[in-house]
Amino acid sequence: MARNSQEIERLFKMQKQIFMFSSWLLQKLDAQVYQLNEKERRILMALSSGDLAQHDRFIANAAERLRRIIEEMARLSAARDKVNSEYDRQRMMLKLMAERLAQMRGEEQRAEEERDLMELLERRYG
């Protein structure tokens, strides 16, 4: 039984690492979304100022940049949704693995206590 709990503990540690990687990936995606929002805000501020609103070329370039930002935000949103669902799945697997490990350790402890009790009875009455 000791081997089983060791294997589960090893899997539990790997599961924790995957969970941490998912968390890191979510943070990275959030940072990218923030940067895109800042770019979009700067472009919209420039477009709304009276001096630049008259220049067709600038407006065309800004509109193209906004289009690319919106497309990138859509890709990031899809990636974030995917990573978030994987993050949730990993969190659930981590919880189940922790419960299984606790159960295995309890079973091993009970078996060890039973062996100790049998040894004690054997020495006492056997």
Side-chain angles (χ1 to χ4, degrees):
M1 276 221 185
R3 183 171 180 221
N4 287 337
S5 69
Q6 288 174 350
E7 289 174 10
I8 290 176
E9 190 165 350
R10 183 180 58 82
L11 290 173
F12 180 69
K13 287 178 183 179
M14 287 188 330
Q15 200 70 39
K16 271 179 143 175
Q17 290 173 342
I18 292 170
F19 179 76
M20 294 302 290
F21 176 74
S22 296
S23 175
W24 172 80
L25 196 52
L26 280 174
Q27 290 174 357
K28 184 178 176 187
L29 289 171
D30 286 342
Q32 288 176 338
V33 167
Y34 176 79
Q35 289 172 349
L36 288 175
N37 283 331
E38 281 300 305
K39 286 180 184 179
E40 181 181 42
R41 186 189 61 77
R42 285 194 309 263
I43 291 169
L44 291 174
M45 290 292 290
L47 283 174
S48 67
S49 72
D51 297 338
L52 296 175
Q54 311 262 331
H55 301 291
D56 291 341
R57 185 172 160 207
F58 174 79
I59 292 173
N61 287 339
E64 178 61 24
R65 287 175 59 199
L66 279 174
R67 184 189 61 74
R68 285 191 306 251
I69 287 171
I70 289 169
E71 288 173 356
E72 183 66 20
M73 286 180 85
R75 283 193 295 274
L76 283 174
S77 179
R80 191 178 192 298
D81 289 345
K82 186 176 179 179
V83 169
N84 200 31
S85 68
E86 179 63 19
Y87 179 80
D88 289 341
R89 188 179 78 78
Q90 292 296 332
R91 183 176 54 223
M92 182 60 74
M93 289 177 64
L94 194 59
K95 180 182 174 188
L96 291 173
M97 190 69 69
E99 290 170 359
R100 179 68 177 139
L101 183 58
Q103 180 184 4
M104 290 293 291
R105 286 181 177 159
E107 289 173 5
E108 289 173 353
Q109 185 177 0
R110 279 190 294 281
E112 187 176 325
E113 288 171 356
E114 188 175 305
R115 278 192 304 271
D116 291 346
L117 181 60
M118 292 304 281
E119 282 180 20
L120 181 62
L121 289 174
E122 183 71 28
R123 277 187 262 139
R124 182 91 167 158
Y125 298 108

PDB file of all heavy atoms in Angstrom, residues 3-4 7 17 42 46 52 65 87 89 92 97 107 112 121:
ATOM      1  N   ARG A   3       3.416   1.888  -1.614  1.00  0.00           N
ATOM      2  CA  ARG A   3       3.766   2.244  -2.982  1.00  0.00           C
ATOM      3  C   ARG A   3       2.618   2.999  -3.640  1.00  0.00           C
ATOM      4  O   ARG A   3       2.843   3.954  -4.372  1.00  0.00           O
ATOM      5  CB  ARG A   3       4.111   0.986  -3.765  1.00  0.00           C
ATOM      6  CG  ARG A   3       4.543   1.295  -5.163  1.00  0.00           C
ATOM      7  CD  ARG A   3       5.096   0.087  -5.863  1.00  0.00           C
ATOM      8  NE  ARG A   3       5.480   0.467  -7.198  1.00  0.00           N
ATOM      9  CZ  ARG A   3       5.279  -0.261  -8.263  1.00  0.00           C
ATOM     10  NH1 ARG A   3       4.739  -1.448  -8.134  1.00  0.00           N
ATOM     11  NH2 ARG A   3       5.640   0.154  -9.434  1.00  0.00           N
ATOM     12  N   ASN A   4       1.397   2.605  -3.372  1.00  0.00           N
ATOM     13  CA  ASN A   4       0.247   3.284  -3.960  1.00  0.00           C
ATOM     14  C   ASN A   4       0.161   4.734  -3.517  1.00  0.00           C
ATOM     15  O   ASN A   4      -0.077   5.611  -4.327  1.00  0.00           O
ATOM     16  CB  ASN A   4      -1.056   2.558  -3.608  1.00  0.00           C
ATOM     17  CG  ASN A   4      -1.191   1.250  -4.367  1.00  0.00           C
ATOM     18  OD1 ASN A   4      -0.589   1.077  -5.413  1.00  0.00           O
ATOM     19  ND2 ASN A   4      -1.974   0.353  -3.825  1.00  0.00           N
ATOM     20  N   GLU A   7       2.825   6.751  -5.259  1.00  0.00           N
ATOM     21  CA  GLU A   7       2.473   7.036  -6.644  1.00  0.00           C
ATOM     22  C   GLU A   7       1.420   8.129  -6.716  1.00  0.00           C
ATOM     23  O   GLU A   7       1.506   9.041  -7.539  1.00  0.00           O
ATOM     24  CB  GLU A   7       1.964   5.775  -7.338  1.00  0.00           C
ATOM     25  CG  GLU A   7       3.041   4.748  -7.603  1.00  0.00           C
ATOM     26  CD  GLU A   7       2.487   3.448  -8.159  1.00  0.00           C
ATOM     27  OE1 GLU A   7       1.299   3.400  -8.516  1.00  0.00           O
ATOM     28  OE2 GLU A   7       3.263   2.492  -8.248  1.00  0.00           O
ATOM     29  N   GLN A  17       1.641  21.103 -10.243  1.00  0.00           N
ATOM     30  CA  GLN A  17       2.460  21.856 -11.191  1.00  0.00           C
ATOM     31  C   GLN A  17       1.627  22.270 -12.402  1.00  0.00           C
ATOM     32  O   GLN A  17       1.746  23.406 -12.882  1.00  0.00           O
ATOM     33  CB  GLN A  17       3.665  21.033 -11.629  1.00  0.00           C
ATOM     34  CG  GLN A  17       4.684  20.849 -10.533  1.00  0.00           C
ATOM     35  CD  GLN A  17       5.799  19.897 -10.932  1.00  0.00           C
ATOM     36  OE1 GLN A  17       5.664  19.120 -11.871  1.00  0.00           O
ATOM     37  NE2 GLN A  17       6.907  19.959 -10.211  1.00  0.00           N
ATOM     38  N   ARG A  42      -5.646  54.561 -25.915  1.00  0.00           N
ATOM     39  CA  ARG A  42      -4.789  55.625 -26.465  1.00  0.00           C
ATOM     40  C   ARG A  42      -5.235  56.016 -27.873  1.00  0.00           C
ATOM     41  O   ARG A  42      -5.282  57.201 -28.207  1.00  0.00           O
ATOM     42  CB  ARG A  42      -3.327  55.174 -26.474  1.00  0.00           C
ATOM     43  CG  ARG A  42      -2.684  55.176 -25.101  1.00  0.00           C
ATOM     44  CD  ARG A  42      -1.160  55.060 -25.181  1.00  0.00           C
ATOM     45  NE  ARG A  42      -0.704  53.964 -26.009  1.00  0.00           N
ATOM     46  CZ  ARG A  42      -0.334  52.766 -25.546  1.00  0.00           C
ATOM     47  NH1 ARG A  42      -0.372  52.522 -24.253  1.00  0.00           N
ATOM     48  NH2 ARG A  42       0.078  51.838 -26.368  1.00  0.00           N
ATOM     49  N   ALA A  46      -6.698  59.638 -29.085  1.00  0.00           N
ATOM     50  CA  ALA A  46      -6.105  60.399 -30.186  1.00  0.00           C
ATOM     51  C   ALA A  46      -7.156  60.724 -31.243  1.00  0.00           C
ATOM     52  O   ALA A  46      -7.177  61.823 -31.799  1.00  0.00           O
ATOM     53  CB  ALA A  46      -4.952  59.615 -30.808  1.00  0.00           C
ATOM     54  N   LEU A  52      -6.348  65.784 -34.565  1.00  0.00           N
ATOM     55  CA  LEU A  52      -6.105  64.606 -35.400  1.00  0.00           C
ATOM     56  C   LEU A  52      -7.360  64.124 -36.105  1.00  0.00           C
ATOM     57  O   LEU A  52      -7.277  63.360 -37.060  1.00  0.00           O
ATOM     58  CB  LEU A  52      -5.518  63.478 -34.540  1.00  0.00           C
ATOM     59  CG  LEU A  52      -4.149  63.774 -33.929  1.00  0.00           C
ATOM     60  CD1 LEU A  52      -3.733  62.636 -33.018  1.00  0.00           C
ATOM     61  CD2 LEU A  52      -3.113  64.002 -35.005  1.00  0.00           C
ATOM     62  N   ARG A  65      -5.513  49.710 -36.802  1.00  0.00           N
ATOM     63  CA  ARG A  65      -4.929  49.252 -35.540  1.00  0.00           C
ATOM     64  C   ARG A  65      -6.026  48.800 -34.580  1.00  0.00           C
ATOM     65  O   ARG A  65      -5.882  47.783 -33.898  1.00  0.00           O
ATOM     66  CB  ARG A  65      -4.085  50.365 -34.914  1.00  0.00           C
ATOM     67  CG  ARG A  65      -2.775  50.568 -35.667  1.00  0.00           C
ATOM     68  CD  ARG A  65      -1.969  51.734 -35.143  1.00  0.00           C
ATOM     69  NE  ARG A  65      -1.625  51.599 -33.741  1.00  0.00           N
ATOM     70  CZ  ARG A  65      -1.248  52.621 -32.987  1.00  0.00           C
ATOM     71  NH1 ARG A  65      -1.171  53.838 -33.494  1.00  0.00           N
ATOM     72  NH2 ARG A  65      -0.943  52.433 -31.715  1.00  0.00           N
ATOM     73  N   TYR A  87      -8.144  25.217 -16.318  1.00  0.00           N
ATOM     74  CA  TYR A  87      -7.784  25.575 -14.945  1.00  0.00           C
ATOM     75  C   TYR A  87      -8.810  25.006 -13.966  1.00  0.00           C
ATOM     76  O   TYR A  87      -8.448  24.401 -12.962  1.00  0.00           O
ATOM     77  CB  TYR A  87      -7.703  27.097 -14.850  1.00  0.00           C
ATOM     78  CG  TYR A  87      -7.368  27.639 -13.485  1.00  0.00           C
ATOM     79  CD1 TYR A  87      -6.058  27.663 -13.028  1.00  0.00           C
ATOM     80  CD2 TYR A  87      -8.360  28.157 -12.662  1.00  0.00           C
ATOM     81  CE1 TYR A  87      -5.749  28.181 -11.780  1.00  0.00           C
ATOM     82  CE2 TYR A  87      -8.055  28.672 -11.416  1.00  0.00           C
ATOM     83  CZ  TYR A  87      -6.746  28.677 -10.987  1.00  0.00           C
ATOM     84  OH  TYR A  87      -6.452  29.187  -9.757  1.00  0.00           O
ATOM     85  N   ARG A  89     -10.807  22.483 -14.509  1.00  0.00           N
ATOM     86  CA  ARG A  89     -10.689  21.019 -14.549  1.00  0.00           C
ATOM     87  C   ARG A  89      -9.500  20.566 -13.706  1.00  0.00           C
ATOM     88  O   ARG A  89      -9.603  19.609 -12.938  1.00  0.00           O
ATOM     89  CB  ARG A  89     -10.532  20.546 -15.992  1.00  0.00           C
ATOM     90  CG  ARG A  89     -10.602  19.038 -16.164  1.00  0.00           C
ATOM     91  CD  ARG A  89     -10.459  18.636 -17.629  1.00  0.00           C
ATOM     92  NE  ARG A  89      -9.097  18.678 -18.077  1.00  0.00           N
ATOM     93  CZ  ARG A  89      -8.182  17.746 -17.823  1.00  0.00           C
ATOM     94  NH1 ARG A  89      -8.490  16.709 -17.081  1.00  0.00           N
ATOM     95  NH2 ARG A  89      -6.955  17.857 -18.282  1.00  0.00           N
ATOM     96  N   MET A  92     -10.279  20.793 -10.030  1.00  0.00           N
ATOM     97  CA  MET A  92     -11.124  19.682  -9.596  1.00  0.00           C
ATOM     98  C   MET A  92     -10.302  18.401  -9.475  1.00  0.00           C
ATOM     99  O   MET A  92     -10.444  17.656  -8.497  1.00  0.00           O
ATOM    100  CB  MET A  92     -12.274  19.477 -10.586  1.00  0.00           C
ATOM    101  CG  MET A  92     -13.229  18.370 -10.163  1.00  0.00           C
ATOM    102  SD  MET A  92     -14.034  18.641  -8.586  1.00  0.00           S
ATOM    103  CE  MET A  92     -15.192  19.884  -9.043  1.00  0.00           C
ATOM    104  N   MET A  97      -7.524  14.328  -6.284  1.00  0.00           N
ATOM    105  CA  MET A  97      -6.257  13.650  -6.000  1.00  0.00           C
ATOM    106  C   MET A  97      -5.893  13.817  -4.525  1.00  0.00           C
ATOM    107  O   MET A  97      -5.426  12.873  -3.884  1.00  0.00           O
ATOM    108  CB  MET A  97      -5.151  14.210  -6.893  1.00  0.00           C
ATOM    109  CG  MET A  97      -3.876  13.416  -6.853  1.00  0.00           C
ATOM    110  SD  MET A  97      -3.990  11.790  -7.606  1.00  0.00           S
ATOM    111  CE  MET A  97      -4.158  12.216  -9.314  1.00  0.00           C
ATOM    112  N   GLU A 107      -5.941   4.598   5.003  1.00  0.00           N
ATOM    113  CA  GLU A 107      -5.974   3.133   4.893  1.00  0.00           C
ATOM    114  C   GLU A 107      -4.636   2.535   5.308  1.00  0.00           C
ATOM    115  O   GLU A 107      -4.590   1.522   6.006  1.00  0.00           O
ATOM    116  CB  GLU A 107      -6.309   2.730   3.457  1.00  0.00           C
ATOM    117  CG  GLU A 107      -7.745   2.999   3.061  1.00  0.00           C
ATOM    118  CD  GLU A 107      -8.004   2.741   1.578  1.00  0.00           C
ATOM    119  OE1 GLU A 107      -7.093   2.255   0.872  1.00  0.00           O
ATOM    120  OE2 GLU A 107      -9.119   3.040   1.132  1.00  0.00           O
ATOM    121  N   GLU A 112      -1.387  -0.322   9.255  1.00  0.00           N
ATOM    122  CA  GLU A 112      -0.210  -0.358  10.122  1.00  0.00           C
ATOM    123  C   GLU A 112      -0.615  -0.526  11.582  1.00  0.00           C
ATOM    124  O   GLU A 112      -0.004  -1.314  12.322  1.00  0.00           O
ATOM    125  CB  GLU A 112       0.595   0.937   9.953  1.00  0.00           C
ATOM    126  CG  GLU A 112       1.918   0.915  10.676  1.00  0.00           C
ATOM    127  CD  GLU A 112       2.730   2.165  10.404  1.00  0.00           C
ATOM    128  OE1 GLU A 112       2.660   2.688   9.277  1.00  0.00           O
ATOM    129  OE2 GLU A 112       3.427   2.597  11.337  1.00  0.00           O
ATOM    130  N   LEU A 121      -0.819  -8.501  20.234  1.00  0.00           N
ATOM    131  CA  LEU A 121      -1.626  -9.651  20.667  1.00  0.00           C
ATOM    132  C   LEU A 121      -0.838 -10.938  20.547  1.00  0.00           C
ATOM    133  O   LEU A 121      -0.932 -11.831  21.400  1.00  0.00           O
ATOM    134  CB  LEU A 121      -2.923  -9.737  19.853  1.00  0.00           C
ATOM    135  CG  LEU A 121      -3.969  -8.657  20.129  1.00  0.00           C
ATOM    136  CD1 LEU A 121      -5.125  -8.783  19.147  1.00  0.00           C
ATOM    137  CD2 LEU A 121      -4.458  -8.742  21.562  1.00  0.00           C
TER     138      LEU A 121
END
